[in-house]
Amino acid sequence: MRKKFLTVILFISLMLLVNVAMVSSKHSSCRGSNHSVRKLLKCVTLEGVREHQAALQTIADANNGIRTSGTPGYDQSAFYVAIQMAAAGYEVTVQPFEYLTFIELSPTVLEKTEPAPVEAIETRIMSFSGSGDVTASVSTVSEITGCDPADFTGFPAGDIALISRGACTFAQKATNAYDAGAVGVIIYNNTEGNLNGTLSSTFALNIPVTAVTQDVGQTLAATEGLVMHLQTDTFRGMATTYNVFAETKTGRDDSVVMVGAHLDSVNAGPGINDNGSGSAVLLEIAEQMSRVKPRNKVRFAWWGAEESGLVGSTYYVDNLTQEEIDDIALYLNFDMVGSPNPVFFIYDGDDSDGVGAPAGPPGSAEIEQKFEEYYEWIDAPYKGTDFSGRSDYGPFIAVGIPSGGLFTGAEGIKTAEEVEVWGGTEGDAYDPCYHQACDTFDNVSLDALDINADAAAYVTLKFAKNTSAIENAKAEGFVGAFSTNAVDTHELHDHHHSLVTE
């Protein structure tokens, strides 16, 4: 593992003190070795996971409700992880990196001021929007897409432009509006549902751009004498953030079991399910495995800037030598493992579902089977999900490292068939607060979080003790070799399918 890292002492000197308890006194009965599966699972508790989620919520509350990479909320989250892992006896290292980021520094405001009464309008800022605070009449680019400068002929300079989504990029619409003299832009969806869009990192105009639903946009367009207040406060530029690693002091250096979760939130909220759930599960497992002497070295990782396009994990993998890549036996990923309307998804390492993305690298099937083994042991249902490239397994798959993990769903809609198996609410998102301010401490299925904490602990310990199945799979190869189908993570600039265009 390349040692281009800050030491923990230097890192701590750069961080603000976190106003939460740093070292927990829980699990007094679990001070000894947790080398057996049954002992470890007894000691990995929902209470322990929730204590870490509570700490992350406290950090967010003290930092404008967010833990976005590049902000003090993220720095303090990383500091919290580093302190907890150092106290547990791990070798802790912190990897700084710079990246181009967009941060919503304070909540976006969209209000109808005329005709009376004043009314707040639900809105979502477009990523890479500029800053601004304007109150102006609203002119609708009616029945036209706004994709051509000619669409703005006669547009009143100094107005806010209201434009429908469709036919070209959001950046092109916003640029044409700006050139026509607009002081702000509101883009409304052309289908049902919220619009989570990005102007892309090349957008540099200092104009506020935000998005509303189709229903809201059509209502605004039909309002006579409409005047609106639009306020955005953003940062666009280079920022420094961190990956945090906690590594066992024993175990084979040439057979490293990596276990990862992203630590950052989006700009909209504290991210306590996405991904305070995976991050807290890793913290709890690592604490309870701290007295285990594994046969294979275990390296826990908390990734920065995942929400900006898997930046932290990509930076880490890109800076490994080939020898260091070869030394990583496998990678386990835990991103959103406590969604409030959950399905128990396992990444489909062998493409047995036969849909979507191809199988993972040789050894991924064995990882999937190990998770299935746990769910079958406790008689819990499970379902495969594709390696879609939406989380931090992507860079590992791209260099041939066997990967797997768990997921309980994001913005996808729960089906009637899934409700029959897992319960919950048909027609609702797996996480109705996905990428929103309401992704807080209470945005969780305690049952899913409890089961998946144990599933993650079970598989981590199993591979910490024995990776022979992975090694054999690598040696034998894999039918439908992944190398011709690898996910190109360098093209995954917008995590979780943020929309650039129609």
Side-chain angles (χ1 to χ4, degrees):
M1 185 177 181
R2 186 164 293 178
K3 297 298 183 182
K4 291 185 177 179
F5 302 115
L6 294 178
T7 64
V8 176
I9 294 175
L10 176 58
F11 180 63
I12 291 173
S13 73
L14 297 174
M15 297 299 122
L16 298 174
L17 183 63
V18 183
N19 188 27
V20 292
M22 286 293 128
V23 181
S24 173
S25 60
K26 65 181 182 294
H27 307 316
S28 59
S29 64
C30 295
R31 300 290 185 185
S33 173
N34 293 331
H35 194 68
S36 74
V37 164
R38 291 187 182 276
K39 180 70 181 295
L40 179 62
L41 297 189
K42 179 181 178 181
C43 291
V44 169
T45 67
L46 177 62
E47 176 192 12
V49 175
R50 295 294 276 165
E51 285 185 14
H52 294 304
Q53 285 188 303
L56 296 176
Q57 180 70 64
T58 298
I59 291 168
D61 290 344
N63 290 280
N64 297 317
I66 62 174
R67 299 182 305 101
T68 310
S69 272
T71 70
Y74 180 81
D75 292 348
Q76 292 174 18
S77 298
F79 180 33
Y80 174 78
V81 170
I83 288 292
Q84 294 287 337
M85 293 296 92
Y90 286 91
E91 180 181 338
V92 178
T93 51
V94 177
Q95 183 182 41
F97 59 93
E98 290 188 338
Y99 76 111
L100 181 64
T101 187
F102 168 78
I103 299 171
E104 187 179 8
L105 298 173
S106 57
T108 294
V109 175
L110 183 64
E111 295 176 317
K112 176 179 72 68
T113 60
E114 295 182 25
V118 174
E119 179 185 358
I121 304 297
E122 182 177 352
T123 189
R124 299 189 179 193
I125 194 169
M126 286 275 178
S127 293
F128 291 95
S129 165
S131 295
D133 187 354
V134 298
T135 300
S137 296
V138 176
S139 290
T140 304
V141 183
S142 181
E143 304 301 326
I144 302 174
T145 63
C147 295
D148 191 308
D151 295 344
F152 292 84
T153 300
F155 182 88
D159 278 13
I160 295 170
L162 178 64
I163 313 170
S164 174
R165 170 189 176 188
C168 64
T169 66
F170 302 129
Q172 188 172 345
K173 295 173 188 285
T175 298
N176 289 338
Y178 178 88
D179 290 343
V183 295
V185 177
I186 303 168
I187 298 176
Y188 63 94
N189 210 346
N190 59 359
T191 187
E192 292 184 0
N194 292 312
L195 177 53
N196 296 304
T198 179
L199 299 163
S200 84
S201 59
T202 59
F203 186 82
L205 298 177
N206 199 28
I207 182 172
V209 184
T210 193
V212 296
T213 65
Q214 183 179 41
D215 288 345
V216 168
Q218 291 174 343
T219 299
L220 295 177
T223 303
E224 296 284 344
L226 181 62
V227 176
M228 301 199 76
H229 173 217
L230 172 58
Q231 179 180 339
T232 59
D233 182 17
T234 67
F235 171 79
R236 301 177 294 189
M238 299 303 295
T240 298
T241 194
Y242 310 91
N243 296 322
V244 183
F245 301 94
E247 188 170 287
T248 57
K249 295 178 180 179
T250 60
R252 289 174 53 190
D253 291 325
D254 63 345
S255 184
V256 178
V257 175
M258 283 206 69
V259 189
H262 77 87
L263 183 59
D264 59 320
S265 76
V266 293
N267 291 321
I272 303 303
N273 183 45
D274 183 16
N275 183 36
S277 60
S279 292
V281 163
L282 257 64
L283 282 161
E284 172 69 355
I285 293 171
E287 283 182 337
Q288 301 312 320
M289 283 186 62
S290 62
R291 295 180 181 272
V292 172
K293 294 183 178 179
R295 180 173 182 269
N296 305 300
K297 188 175 289 292
V298 180
R299 184 179 301 150
F300 295 95
W302 289 264
W303 306 115
E306 188 265 3
E307 298 286 7
S308 296
L310 318 183
V311 180
S313 55
T314 299
Y315 180 85
Y316 170 76
V317 172
D318 283 352
N319 283 277
L320 294 174
T321 66
Q322 187 58 52
E323 181 181 0
E324 289 167 337
I325 290 171
D326 294 341
D327 286 342
I328 298 173
L330 68 144
Y331 174 71
L332 305 177
N333 192 72
F334 302 103
D335 187 354
M336 300 182 68
V337 294
S339 300
N341 193 28
V343 168
F344 291 167
F345 291 111
I346 305 172
Y347 289 115
D348 188 12
D350 59 2
D351 196 28
S352 56
D353 292 352
V355 297
S364 300
E366 284 68 25
I367 297 172
E368 181 185 8
Q369 290 165 8
K370 193 61 67 176
F371 282 112
E372 292 173 349
E373 178 180 286
Y374 177 75
Y375 283 129
E376 290 169 3
W377 182 33
I378 65 169
D379 196 26
Y382 56 85
K383 184 177 181 178
T385 188
D386 279 337
F387 284 121
S388 63
R390 291 179 59 171
S391 195
D392 291 300
Y393 54 77
F396 291 88
I397 287 177
V399 296
I401 295 172
S403 299
L406 303 176
F407 178 53
T408 49
E411 81 279 34
I413 302 300
K414 199 167 198 177
T415 67
E417 293 77 14
E418 290 169 341
V419 170
E420 288 182 5
V421 177
W422 288 277
T425 305
E426 177 187 351
D428 280 2
Y430 302 118
D431 183 355
C433 286
Y434 172 69
H435 282 193
Q436 298 178 54
C438 57
D439 185 6
T440 63
F441 182 77
D442 295 326
N443 183 50
V444 65
S445 163
L446 296 178
D447 181 60
L449 193 63
D450 192 15
I451 289 172
N452 282 332
D454 282 347
Y458 177 89
V459 174
T460 299
L461 183 59
K462 286 285 188 177
F463 285 124
K465 296 167 72 172
N466 189 344
T467 56
S468 61
I470 303 295
E471 293 164 1
N472 292 338
K474 288 180 179 180
E476 295 172 4
F478 194 89
V479 177
F482 112 98
S483 59
T484 59
N485 298 300
V487 176
D488 184 355
T489 59
H490 295 87
E491 294 182 359
L492 300 173
H493 299 299
D494 297 295
H495 171 240
H496 289 183
H497 295 183
S498 294
L499 298 164
V500 178
T501 185
E502 59 168 324

